[in-house]
Amino acid sequence: MNRIRNIVILTGAGISAESGIDTFRDGGGLWEKHRVEDVATPEAFARDPNLVLRFYDMRREAIQQKEPNAAHVALAELDARWPGDLLIVTQNVDDLHERAGARRVLHMHGEHLNAWCTACDARSRWTGPLIDRPECPRCGGRALRPDIVWFGEMPYRMGEIYGALRGADLFVSIGTSGAVYPAAGFVRDARELGARTLELNLERSQGSGWFHETRLGPAGEIVPAWVEELLGGAGDPPPL
Ligand code: OAD
């Protein structure tokens, strides 16, 4: 019998889609409306900082109007009740996992509600705009940028993520297209390290062949169903 103790969950834009936040690569997704090279690279920021700051100011404001959906709530419940190790690694830069109540969350691509001071390296919680070059609360300089990992930059906390993958019995990927590395490679790493792998998505992702099992449907339906199944034994991890 294959008992599960330690779980790593990777989430992507699809888990926030039912909260009304655009995904990146679906029809009408963000990267159809804006070119990555214009708004999501260090070069774009150096070339036209106002365009980039305005883009993220709009996104920062928009996500604060959104609410967690049933999938975020189900993962928060799992986090609260799961007795083993659990880590929600999210590629999302919204705070909907946290607002649903999840604690064990790692934002590998940064967070909209943080500003990063490139002068003193401090990160500060930030809910307002950056376009007017506000002062850094730590050093008083005016070199704040969105705390977002842009293309060409290194995702955050990779050592912690690989540490969790090494200990994982179960790796679950939710709402991500598997198009962006290194996150897209986690399923292969987890599987090679001995974890069971499960995909929960609206459609098959690019790395779908690496998963032992795929369940297709909207996250707001299939994530709560999976969590209920997992917690079925009142916190006693059942076999997968
Ligand atoms: P994508 O937009 O690439 O993929 C979203 C996935 O969610 C697709 O596979 C959809 O089929 C699926 N999906 C859409 N609606 C869903 C729903 N209601 N329920 C379940 N699944 C649904 O977004 P990500 O994979 O998160 O990086 O993109 C990865 C990274 O690329 C992002 O973090 C961002 C982006 O460029 C940076 O900005 C660094």
Side-chain angles (χ1 to χ4, degrees):
M1 199 158 72
N2 206 357
R3 288 180 72 80
I4 303 161
R5 180 92 198 142
N6 301 329
I7 306 175
V8 174
I9 299 168
L10 173 69
T11 67
I15 198 167
S16 294
E18 288 156 79
S19 294
I21 299 178
D22 286 344
T23 62
F24 296 95
R25 295 176 184 78
D26 294 302
L30 206 61
W31 295 151
E32 267 185 17
K33 296 178 198 148
H34 307 271
R35 287 170 6 121
V36 166
E37 313 85 76
D38 291 340
V39 294
T41 67
E43 293 77 18
F45 187 53
R47 195 169 53 239
D48 193 345
N50 285 341
L51 176 77
V52 174
L53 290 174
R54 221 175 282 119
F55 174 76
Y56 285 99
D57 281 356
M58 279 166 47
R59 306 259 306 147
R60 190 179 311 105
E61 192 184 344
I63 63 131
Q64 293 177 74
Q65 317 303 322
K66 310 297 182 188
E67 297 296 333
N69 65 52
H72 298 106
V73 171
L75 290 190
E77 188 192 348
L78 181 64
D79 178 27
R81 292 181 53 197
W82 188 255
D85 285 349
L86 178 144
L87 182 63
I88 300 170
V89 178
T90 187
Q91 300 168 87
N92 296 348
V93 291
D94 65 52
D95 63 337
L96 296 184
H97 283 306
E98 288 88 344
R99 276 202 271 142
R103 297 270 179 276
R104 293 180 273 184
V105 182
L106 186 162
H107 284 270
M108 66 177 291
H109 288 168
E111 297 179 61
H112 271 316
L113 298 185
N114 272 352
W116 173 23
C117 177
T118 55
C120 75
D121 203 32
R123 284 173 169 84
S124 314
R125 184 171 161 83
W126 207 268
T127 54
L130 290 172
I131 188 77
D132 296 329
R133 311 301 196 276
E135 283 183 8
C136 167
R138 163 91 78 80
C139 73
R142 293 184 181 274
L144 294 175
R145 60 162 267 188
D147 189 16
I148 302 287
V149 176
W150 287 325
F151 284 88
E153 297 181 325
M154 183 62 84
Y156 296 154
R157 300 166 67 182
M158 293 302 295
E160 268 175 79
I161 296 172
Y162 282 112
L165 288 173
R166 271 193 290 278
D169 307 304
L170 174 64
F171 172 81
V172 187
S173 170
I174 304 173
T176 175
S177 62
V180 174
Y181 282 82
F186 291 166
V187 58
R188 183 175 171 169
D189 298 328
R191 189 165 173 155
E192 285 174 354
L193 289 162
R196 180 100 189 150
T197 54
L198 168 66
E199 170 175 49
L200 304 175
N201 209 29
L202 200 55
E203 58 193 15
R204 286 187 173 275
S205 66
Q206 291 184 23
S208 197
W210 284 101
F211 290 91
H212 290 103
E213 186 186 349
T214 293
R215 300 184 191 180
L216 300 180
E221 291 174 18
I222 61 177
V223 174
W226 167 69
V227 167
E228 198 182 321
E229 187 183 308
L230 201 59
L231 290 175
D236 185 22
L240 187 69

